[in-house]
Amino acid sequence: MNAKKVVEINEVTKTYGKKNQKQYQALKGVSFEVESGEFVGIMGASGSGKTTLLNILSTLDKPTSGSVKINGNDVTELKGNQLADFRSSEIGFIFQDFNLLESLTARENIALPLSLQNVSPKEIAPKVESIAKTLGIESILDSYPTEVSGGQKQRIAAARALVHNPSVLFGDEPTGALDSQSATELLDTMRKLNEQQQVSILLVTHDPYSASYAKRILFIKDGQIGTELTRGDKSQQDFYQEILVELGTFQD
Amino acid sequence: MLNKLALSGIKNRLRDYIVLFSGLIISSAIFYMFMALATNKSFITNNAAGSNAKIVFMFGAVLLMIITFVYVSYANSFLLSMRKRDYATFMMLGAKGSKISQLIFIETITIGITATAVGIIAGVGLTAGVGNALINMLGVSSKNFSAFYFPAIVDTLAFFMIVFLIASLVNAIKMSKKPILELLHSNQIPNRNKTKFSIQILQTIIGIGSLAVGYWAMASIKDLKLSALPIALVAIVIGSYLLFNAVVVVIINLLKRNLNFANKNLRNFTLSQINFRIHSYTMILSTVSILFALALGAITVGMGFKNEIPEIADKGVTYDVVTHSQDTQTKKLTSKLTGVKEQVTYTYKVAGNEVYFINTEFNDNPILYPKRDSRGLISDNKYEKITPKSMSKNETEYSYALIDLINGVTDYENTKINFVTKTSFSQLSGKPQTFTTFKLKDFQTNLKQAKQIQMHENKLFPKSDLYGSSKYDMYEQNMGLLGGLAFMGYFLGLAFLAMLASTLMFKILAGADYDKGRYRMLKRMGVRQSLLKNSIRSELAVLFGLPAALGIVHVLFGLQFFKILLIDPYAGIMLPFIAFIIIYLIYYLITVWLYEKIVMND
Ligand SMILES: Nc1ncnc2c1ncn2[C@@H]1O[C@H](COP(=O)(O)OP(=O)(O)O)[C@@H](O)[C@H]1O
Ligand SMILES: [Mg+2]
């Protein structure tokens, strides 16, 4: 196996609070890798450190110690404009709270990452159309975020995260604010993106059903990675059961 | 319980409250300062500015009241916008509508009283400093002036209490009528512009049309008389509103449609931000443009008046100083005059209704008779010469001019002027008298001497004997009226500027919390800090710049209005314009700084 690694993190710790103040260690030495084209889930209860981990992976926050490589680049060394540029070219995210700009239409929201890289308008238009088609939101491209449903908002956010072909897509509970129907649709789309377009995905969630869409699941508890489950040839239903069982033992 | 909640609400938004508070304090301080000056009897009656100034000040006070009322209303809606969500939460928790109204009422009144009290204290300090500086600048004596003036405190308190009472009632009524859900989500109204293009074009045309009517009305003050003012005001208000409502939106949409322009960096976002705001800002931007015009106009006109005081005096009277039958004291005083260009003494005798002059004196140095324009000002040093020969050209006017210069004649109509030879003059009965005319290089630098001479003349000759007014008299009268106007111009200008800029600041900062999320999101997406700052600065620059630009246009046309009062309202407008723009720019920079602090720190 010599596939390219999109995420490599090694012994990452994160301590909140300044010295002399009350400190809290949210991550206690986390290490794992994600290969190109993988769909990895990170599962854990609320407060286990998932968001902390994802913020560090997506360069929004810095680890207290340890190394983080995205697509082969050490991101802990990046600063200022370099960091911003790296983020805008290599990484795509979807958050629980949509994070769309209400003053822009769906089309303008999706085009934004390309505008930031000064891609010419001629190239922008077909790229936006194509990703919108993949995510099934062509009909609402000219609507404003306030005019569409939660599920549609999250698809717009996904389209915006993917339009510039990032190395990896990070999702922090992207289905958290959706009804089960919309959640399933979004997860199906993510799976389709992963299987058909080989998009690397790292999904963080506390919801076993969302996690069952991943091919591999890492369990996190109190800032440490515990067990790892791989779906292999199992059906999604069986994998879901396995997750539930694992959760039962893992939580105790 | 609810009171506790209300208090905690204030704590959470301390920064916004500080902004609100300082704005209210500034406005009440300014109000106090103005009232202290305008109503302080010992100040007004004891100085040369005198009774004319009082009327002028009262007029200014009315303007200031109107503007303060508008300002406090804005501050209150800002307050309401801050508390809306909290109140809605209380209601969801089961608080009754009447209880909420009561809470709002108490809160608004409390804030009002506290701010006014602090403002009055600040106002006393301000009056001691700025007030005195302004008085000195105008050269008005202010021996009896004290910064602490009780009636002004009462006036300020009463006025603000009334304004806040109205505001609290309006706030309380507004809140009790809105559905909870609307209160909770009032910040997230979709911003799609549903106005049809054709309607926007129509609005643009009507907008420009009403501006034209307004500007025309101000230029036609001579024909329209007092009705020019309300016509101009209404037309310009409507015009400004429509212009912002339609034109700016059309321009932004055209820019957005030009993809080559819009799809670069954050331009699309910036344009949308502006577009997003323009809708809710139309009202405030048009208000600010008008306030801006009023403020800048007031300062420009104030400076104009100040600059024209000596000019009007200069152009009103031919001779800088005229003395009569000099005694030793007069001689001593006149010897102190500097830059004397010309000094001539004329001899005359009065016998009944006959006045006799010596013809050689007039042939050598004719008395100058000015040609005056429609406002009675001497036009560009154009004089006719009064000599024994030319006398017949305009006998009545010339003799009036001569009687003005002499002492002891009150009956202008029946007095006859005669020119005789020196020998005949000496044979006439009666005591020879003299008057001496002085022309100076610069009257302004001789003010002190002119005043002393005038006082000595008044002592020598009872007022009733000297009918013509001296240049110094003229100067002092102008000082009363024009000095008062100038003072008021500066004052109102500064007051308006402070209020309009903080009104705009309120509005922008009130939305900053909501924008915070947007900027955080953009940062997460990998937008460079410099691009974000650029976007913020351009957005705020447009919001500050648009009303300023329109305001400047308003002023340029509005100065037409002052053609009836000023020789040239456009003379020297650069100084007030530049000073004003610099102060406004500082407000812009402060707003940018505060805004960036709010939205950028994570
Ligand atoms: N900025 C912060 N400062 C201090 N503690 C924090 C901060 N962010 C998160 N934590 C703490 O770190 C732990 C992990 O939080 P988080 O990563 O958000 O968990 P999760 O996303 O799994 O719910 C929690 O106990 C939380 O209280
Ligand atoms: Mg979380």
Side-chain angles (χ1 to χ4, degrees):
Chain A
M1 271 227 146
N2 53 1
K4 221 170 95 191
K5 296 187 172 70
V6 288
V7 175
E8 300 160 76
I9 78 165
N10 200 5
E11 287 301 321
V12 164
T13 68
K14 176 71 188 178
T15 307
Y16 285 117
K18 292 194 182 91
K19 278 175 195 166
N20 326 327
Q21 283 175 8
K22 213 176 121 188
Q23 294 197 329
Y24 180 81
Q25 196 172 28
L27 294 179
K28 301 166 182 165
V30 174
S31 309
F32 65 87
E33 293 172 351
V34 177
E35 282 170 10
S36 179
E38 262 199 302
F39 189 157
V40 174
I42 293 185
M43 265 213 81
S46 181
S48 54
K50 303 184 298 292
T51 298
T52 305
L53 176 61
L54 203 76
N55 283 346
I56 288 173
L57 286 175
S58 53
T59 72
L60 297 175
D61 203 352
K62 294 231 181 286
T64 309
S65 71
S67 76
V68 180
K69 280 189 183 174
I70 305 292
N71 209 15
N73 302 287
D74 189 344
V75 296
T76 53
E77 297 301 315
L78 294 175
K79 277 195 195 80
N81 286 343
Q82 278 181 318
L83 185 62
D85 293 348
F86 183 82
R87 235 180 246 167
S88 68
S89 59
E90 298 285 335
I91 297 173
F93 340 69
I94 330 177
F95 297 94
Q96 177 175 341
D97 48 355
F98 317 126
N99 275 319
L100 294 173
L101 298 163
E102 316 82 347
S103 52
L104 297 179
T105 60
R107 187 191 300 280
E108 290 165 342
N109 261 294
I110 298 170
L112 199 56
L114 298 175
S115 300
L116 284 175
Q117 294 173 11
N118 289 331
V119 177
S120 81
K122 271 197 203 113
E123 291 171 58
I124 290 179
K127 282 190 180 170
V128 172
E129 292 288 343
S130 130
I131 192 76
K133 205 168 169 197
T134 313
L135 289 159
I137 47 171
E138 310 104 294
S139 61
I140 52 161
L141 274 179
D142 290 310
S143 305
Y144 283 93
T146 43
E147 297 166 342
V148 302
S149 74
Q152 287 170 322
K153 273 188 215 172
Q154 209 53 304
R155 283 156 183 273
I156 298 171
R160 192 182 62 187
L162 291 169
V163 71
H164 57 300
N165 291 320
S167 322
V168 55
L169 175 66
F170 293 116
D172 187 359
E173 316 249 16
T175 57
L178 300 183
D179 59 274
S180 60
Q181 163 90 22
S182 309
T184 305
E185 279 171 18
L186 182 71
L187 289 163
D188 282 336
T189 312
M190 286 177 82
R191 167 153 37 190
K192 197 172 87 187
L193 284 167
N194 173 253
E195 285 174 356
Q196 294 174 6
Q197 323 231 349
Q198 281 76 49
V199 177
S200 320
I201 300 177
L202 191 133
L203 180 73
V204 152
T205 182
H206 72 278
D207 165 35
Y209 178 70
S210 297
S212 71
Y213 276 77
K215 287 177 184 157
R216 180 157 71 96
I217 298 176
L218 304 168
F219 287 87
I220 184 169
K221 189 184 171 189
D222 298 333
Q224 280 174 310
I225 302 279
T227 353
E228 176 176 332
L229 284 185
T230 313
R231 179 167 157 195
D233 295 330
K234 284 173 277 237
S235 75
Q236 193 180 348
Q237 186 59 37
D238 292 345
F239 193 42
Y240 178 59
Q241 292 302 332
E242 202 181 331
I243 297 168
L244 290 182
V245 171
E246 180 57 41
L247 272 181
T249 51
F250 187 61
Q251 295 303 337
D252 299 327
Chain B
M1 176 61 194
L2 275 182
N3 291 340
K4 235 186 204 167
L5 279 173
L7 263 183
S8 74
I10 293 183
K11 250 191 229 154
N12 288 339
R13 309 205 49 166
L14 199 59
R15 191 197 47 238
D16 296 321
Y17 276 94
I18 288 172
V19 174
L20 174 76
F21 235 79
S22 34
L24 290 175
I25 288 171
I26 290 173
S27 80
S28 50
I30 287 173
F31 194 85
Y32 168 80
M33 177 149 85
F34 195 83
M35 287 324 259
L37 296 174
T39 58
N40 200 326
K41 281 212 185 63
S42 58
F43 168 57
I44 285 183
T45 47
N46 269 313
N47 84 43
S51 50
N52 277 335
K54 189 160 186 178
I55 302 164
V56 166
F57 273 126
M58 279 340 243
F59 177 70
V62 172
L63 262 182
L64 188 62
M65 278 184 199
I66 295 173
I67 196 77
T68 309
F69 186 78
V70 171
Y71 172 77
V72 173
S73 316
Y74 262 111
N76 261 300
S77 61
F78 172 68
L79 174 69
L80 197 62
S81 78
M82 291 200 298
R83 303 291 282 139
K84 256 192 287 210
R85 277 166 159 266
D86 296 335
Y87 290 139
T89 315
F90 299 166
M91 282 197 220
M92 281 203 308
L93 294 175
K96 278 200 201 104
S98 61
K99 181 78 195 164
I100 296 287
S101 298
Q102 193 189 336
L103 208 62
I104 295 169
F105 186 83
I106 292 171
E107 207 176 297
T108 315
I109 279 284
T110 312
I111 286 177
I113 292 177
T114 323
T116 311
V118 178
I120 288 174
I121 295 169
V124 173
L126 212 64
T127 313
V130 179
N132 277 325
L134 281 176
I135 290 167
N136 287 339
M137 202 158 73
L138 288 165
V140 188
S141 81
S142 57
K143 271 172 264 158
N144 293 303
F145 178 67
S146 98
F148 183 87
Y149 186 58
F150 191 69
I153 294 182
V154 175
D155 288 347
T156 310
L157 261 179
F159 176 70
F160 274 82
M161 282 311 93
I162 292 170
V163 171
F164 273 100
L165 206 67
I166 296 172
S168 347
L169 283 175
V170 169
N171 273 1
I173 292 167
K174 252 195 211 162
M175 285 297 289
S176 62
K177 282 212 170 131
K178 282 217 172 125
I180 297 183
L181 271 181
E182 198 178 308
L183 290 176
L184 279 173
H185 301 294
S186 57
N187 263 337
Q188 300 165 1
I189 325 147
N191 61 319
R192 184 185 283 288
N193 181 15
K194 297 210 169 72
T195 324
K196 278 205 196 104
F197 193 68
S198 55
I199 293 185
Q200 283 182 334
I201 294 292
L202 194 70
Q203 284 188 346
T204 311
I205 294 170
I206 298 176
I208 292 174
S210 18
L211 281 186
V213 169
Y215 294 157
W216 165 82
M218 287 199 286
S220 323
I221 174 83
K222 273 190 187 137
D223 305 323
L224 294 173
K225 299 270 158 26
L226 260 185
S227 62
L229 205 60
I231 293 178
L233 214 61
V234 171
I236 290 174
V237 168
I238 294 174
S240 308
Y241 181 85
L242 290 177
L243 217 58
F244 281 121
N245 206 31
V247 179
V248 177
V249 176
V250 168
I251 291 174
I252 288 175
N253 283 326
L254 287 179
L255 281 178
K256 280 187 81 165
R257 250 177 246 178
N258 178 355
L259 293 179
N260 279 323
F261 175 84
N263 275 358
K264 267 246 169 71
N265 295 330
L266 277 182
R267 280 182 195 163
N268 218 337
F269 170 75
T270 312
L271 288 173
S272 302
Q273 274 285 97
I274 296 169
N275 205 11
F276 180 73
R277 285 190 188 269
I278 285 285
H279 283 292
S280 57
Y281 273 54
T282 310
M283 227 15 197
I284 192 169
L285 289 184
S286 33
T287 311
V288 167
S289 78
I290 287 158
L291 286 187
F292 190 96
L294 284 176
L296 178 56
I299 288 181
T300 309
V301 170
M303 277 200 182
F305 279 131
K306 168 99 170 97
N307 292 338
E308 288 192 356
I309 291 171
E311 198 176 348
I312 288 177
D314 236 23
K315 291 194 165 178
V317 179
T318 312
Y319 296 103
D320 293 291
V321 174
V322 179
T323 59
H324 299 83
S325 305
Q326 299 201 340
D327 62 3
T328 47
Q329 175 66 7
T330 319
K331 285 202 176 96
K332 210 174 110 193
L333 289 173
T334 51
S335 70
K336 285 189 197 150
L337 289 170
T338 60
V340 179
K341 280 196 300 193
E342 196 185 290
Q343 173 182 354
V344 188
T345 301
Y346 301 85
T347 324
Y348 65 95
K349 276 183 183 170
V350 181
N353 278 339
E354 307 284 331
V355 176
Y356 299 92
F357 291 108
I358 299 170
N359 52 17
T360 48
E361 282 181 5
F362 274 71
N363 284 331
D364 293 347
N365 296 297
I367 287 287
L368 299 177
Y369 178 81
K371 285 184 178 168
R372 292 176 188 271
D373 64 14
S374 55
R375 256 168 310 173
L377 298 176
I378 300 167
S379 34
D380 296 326
N381 283 320
K382 278 187 189 143
Y383 296 101
E384 292 166 15
K385 289 175 179 169
I386 304 181
T387 60
K389 249 195 198 151
S390 72
M391 194 64 195
S392 58
K393 261 203 260 168
N394 193 351
E395 184 130 20
T396 11
E397 293 294 322
Y398 286 2
S399 50
Y400 285 3
L402 293 176
I403 296 169
D404 268 347
L405 289 166
I406 64 177
N407 183 22
V409 176
T410 50
D411 185 355
Y412 277 63
E413 265 171 47
N414 298 313
T415 301
K416 196 172 177 312
I417 304 291
N418 305 282
F419 292 100
V420 296
T421 60
K422 209 164 179 176
T423 23
S424 338
F425 185 82
S426 57
Q427 288 159 7
L428 288 167
S429 61
K431 201 179 86 188
Q433 302 182 67
T434 61
F435 69 87
T436 310
T437 59
F438 293 84
K439 289 208 113 194
L440 306 173
K441 264 210 198 90
D442 186 357
F443 178 71
Q444 274 290 66
T445 56
N446 282 296
L447 262 187
K448 225 165 127 190
Q449 294 92 314
K451 185 177 181 177
Q452 286 170 340
I453 294 170
Q454 183 66 43
M455 276 158 59
H456 182 61
E457 285 274 304
N458 290 346
K459 217 162 52 193
L460 288 180
F461 311 100
K463 206 56 187 171
S464 57
D465 284 358
L466 279 174
Y467 265 77
S469 34
S470 69
K471 190 169 272 189
Y472 183 78
D473 278 341
M474 189 84 167
Y475 181 85
E476 203 166 61
Q477 279 165 19
N478 280 329
M479 200 69 192
L481 180 67
L482 300 186
L485 285 174
F487 179 81
M488 203 176 65
Y490 293 143
F491 206 101
L492 290 181
L494 289 176
F496 287 176
L497 177 59
M499 290 193 209
L500 79 91
S502 24
T503 308
L504 196 53
M505 221 158 101
F506 278 159
K507 181 76 181 168
I508 291 172
L509 294 180
D513 253 347
Y514 189 60
D515 292 335
K516 205 172 170 172
R518 290 187 200 144
Y519 289 100
R520 192 190 306 130
M521 192 187 315
L522 287 169
K523 223 164 131 187
R524 282 180 169 187
M525 282 172 58
V527 180
R528 292 177 173 204
Q529 185 99 348
S530 55
L531 278 184
L532 282 182
K533 286 195 169 170
N534 249 333
S535 171
I536 289 173
R537 281 163 201 180
S538 346
E539 184 193 336
L540 298 191
V542 169
L543 292 179
F544 268 86
L546 284 178
L550 189 59
I552 286 174
V553 176
H554 287 342
V555 174
L556 289 178
F557 282 97
L559 285 175
Q560 288 288 332
F561 190 79
F562 288 91
K563 278 203 160 153
I564 48 166
L565 292 171
L566 286 166
I567 296 168
D568 179 8
Y570 293 91
I573 60 171
M574 276 329 256
L575 184 67
F577 271 55
I578 289 170
F580 198 83
I581 287 169
I582 288 174
I583 299 175
Y584 192 69
L585 211 63
I586 291 171
Y587 262 100
Y588 162 74
L589 293 175
I590 292 174
T591 311
V592 167
W593 180 71
L594 283 173
Y595 188 88
E596 284 186 353
K597 265 192 109 89
I598 296 174
V599 300
M600 301 286 268
N601 77 14
D602 251 321

